[in-house]
Amino acid sequence: MTKQQGRACNSDFKPASGLSNPHLQTLWPFLFRHQPRMALRRERLELADGDFIDLDWYVPPVAVNTKGLCILLHGLEGDSQSHYIPALMQKLAMQGWRTLLMHFRGCGGEHNRLARGYHSGDTADFNEVLMQLLQREQPSRTAAIGFSLGGNVLLKYLGEQGSQTSLNAAVAVSVPFELAAGADRLACGFSRIYQWWLIRSLQRKLYDKFSRHLSAGECPLPLRELKQQKTFYQFDNTITAPLHGFADVHDYYTQSSSRQYLPDIRCSTLILHALDDPFLSPIAIPADSELSTSTRLEISTHGGHVGFVGGTFRQPEYWLDSRICQYLAD
């Protein structure tokens, strides 16, 4: 699978008239995108540490000639119903890909067994799932697509693996390349709404997990103090870092950010990002000199966070689906 040489370039994305605002781009598909009805088959993979990962396989209504396996990785607190997943799975299947969504630990609708969960730099779980699937499925070729947190995991994984990766192609969308910069951006202005919504979701999940399914003593701080963690810096310092073996939030952000791994990527990779992404300041977007020759970074002026809504206000078009499918078809 031959791709373009590594470089940063301008995207051809054009926002729908009236929807160029970054928050409208971000929220429109989340609130208004029609989700196609689709059949999914749930599979549970057991992990070596005694935990599990839930996979959702797309079951197309008509059998297609498959040419490979495509794994999708969702964003923070996402799942197979996230607005960027269902239609893309269908379109990839029409291209001949067997598609599945890998849920990070605890994101498939059921709490995972261990106290630890998932985080932005957790490449070990993806690697373990990928190795199991490759051994069992023996696909002709393999691709992966990561969104937001899932995109950071994917890029970090590709950099860690270098030329040893088993993936033939990859796409990463709206990646928080520098986690500290992302935490800073989400603590400012209207972006604090996204921070509040995501942290509230994490708090509710953790409270239920440690109060009903595990011992409250396994939580890094008293459950009554969960709601006091109102920013990502606070939450990641008191919860994410200690649960996953990091010294503190700074250690977690430093080790888990994908930007430092970009030069070592050897898999054909497309990165899609918008300058107005409300989850990340433009200063954290990698420069051309940071990209390997296997990587193409397409930057658009507008697009928000996993938005990229084109077309018209009355007839929106979801550009991400077509661009990703085009890339994987080349």
Side-chain angles (χ1 to χ4, degrees):
M1 190 177 292
T2 303
K3 303 294 182 186
Q4 303 95 328
Q5 289 296 297
R7 61 189 178 97
C9 60
N10 294 328
S11 165
D12 64 2
F13 169 71
K14 299 292 188 297
S17 177
L19 292 179
S20 60
N21 179 277
H23 302 297
L24 288 177
Q25 281 285 321
T26 301
L27 293 171
W28 182 273
F30 175 77
L31 295 173
F32 302 115
R33 185 173 188 180
H34 172 70
Q35 297 292 350
R37 298 183 65 180
M38 53 190 287
L40 296 173
R41 176 175 61 86
R42 173 63 57 91
E43 177 185 8
R44 177 159 293 180
L45 285 187
E46 296 293 327
L47 300 176
D49 66 359
D51 217 335
F52 65 88
I53 290 286
D54 283 333
L55 310 178
D56 277 352
W57 293 81
Y58 172 58
V59 182
V62 179
V64 295
N65 293 322
T66 58
K67 58 186 176 185
L69 184 69
C70 188
I71 305 171
L72 279 62
L73 303 176
H74 60 77
L76 182 63
E77 290 299 272
D79 57 27
S80 58
Q81 296 306 309
S82 295
H83 68 81
Y84 44 85
I85 296 296
L88 178 59
M89 293 183 87
Q90 289 187 334
K91 291 178 181 179
L92 289 168
M94 291 174 63
Q95 278 192 333
W97 292 95
R98 291 190 66 202
T99 60
L100 69 139
L101 184 284
M102 173 188 144
H103 291 96
F104 291 107
R105 299 194 194 205
C107 290
E110 182 178 331
H111 294 301
N112 63 303
R113 299 178 187 130
L114 304 184
R116 60 147 297 179
Y118 69 104
H119 63 83
S120 296
D122 188 6
T123 56
D125 281 358
F126 175 65
N127 182 63
E128 186 170 353
V129 169
L130 179 60
M131 291 301 100
Q132 286 196 45
L133 292 177
L134 289 176
Q135 183 177 20
R136 188 185 74 190
E137 304 293 331
Q138 298 289 310
S140 57
R141 56 176 175 163
T142 310
I145 306 167
F147 298 88
S148 193
L149 176 147
N152 189 79
V153 170
L154 178 57
L155 293 180
K156 180 174 178 283
Y157 165 81
L158 292 172
E160 290 171 342
Q161 295 291 312
S163 59
Q164 301 303 309
T165 181
S166 300
L167 292 174
N168 303 111
V171 182
V173 180
S174 298
V175 176
F177 304 100
E178 287 187 18
L179 298 179
D184 287 338
R185 182 68 183 87
L186 284 164
C188 296
F190 187 86
S191 294
R192 287 177 293 182
I193 297 296
Y194 308 123
Q195 176 178 250
W196 169 80
W197 189 90
L198 290 167
I199 289 180
R200 186 181 66 163
S201 176
L202 289 164
Q203 289 170 336
R204 287 176 172 176
K205 180 185 292 184
L206 285 171
Y207 187 88
D208 186 70
K209 177 179 178 178
F210 287 106
S211 64
R212 298 178 58 192
H213 299 274
L214 297 177
S215 167
E218 295 182 76
C219 187
L221 81 169
L223 294 181
R224 64 179 180 275
E225 297 180 16
L226 272 176
K227 289 186 177 181
Q228 299 175 19
Q229 318 308 307
K230 299 183 182 301
T231 70
F232 274 109
Y233 269 107
Q234 293 171 335
F235 185 89
D236 288 334
N237 193 52
T238 58
I239 300 293
T240 310
L243 268 182
H244 299 96
F246 298 100
D248 54 26
V249 65
H250 304 293
D251 183 40
Y252 165 47
Y253 287 168
T254 298
Q255 291 197 49
S256 300
S257 295
S258 62
R259 186 171 184 174
Q260 62 196 310
Y261 293 92
L262 297 179
D264 298 318
I265 292 177
R266 297 296 177 265
C267 171
S268 298
T269 302
L270 172 67
I271 305 174
L272 303 173
H273 201 85
L275 288 172
D276 67 354
D277 189 328
F279 282 50
L280 190 73
S281 170
I283 197 172
I285 299 175
D288 186 278
S289 60
E290 298 175 72
L291 304 176
S292 74
T293 56
S294 302
T295 306
R296 178 182 177 89
L297 169 60
E298 294 184 357
I299 304 172
S300 61
T301 302
H302 304 285
H305 187 74
V306 198
F308 300 94
V309 185
T312 66
F313 186 83
R314 291 184 177 276
Q315 292 185 311
E317 297 175 356
Y318 297 97
W319 176 85
L320 277 179
D321 295 357
S322 59
R323 182 65 189 101
I324 292 171
C325 289
Q326 178 190 44
Y327 185 78
L328 294 181
D330 288 345

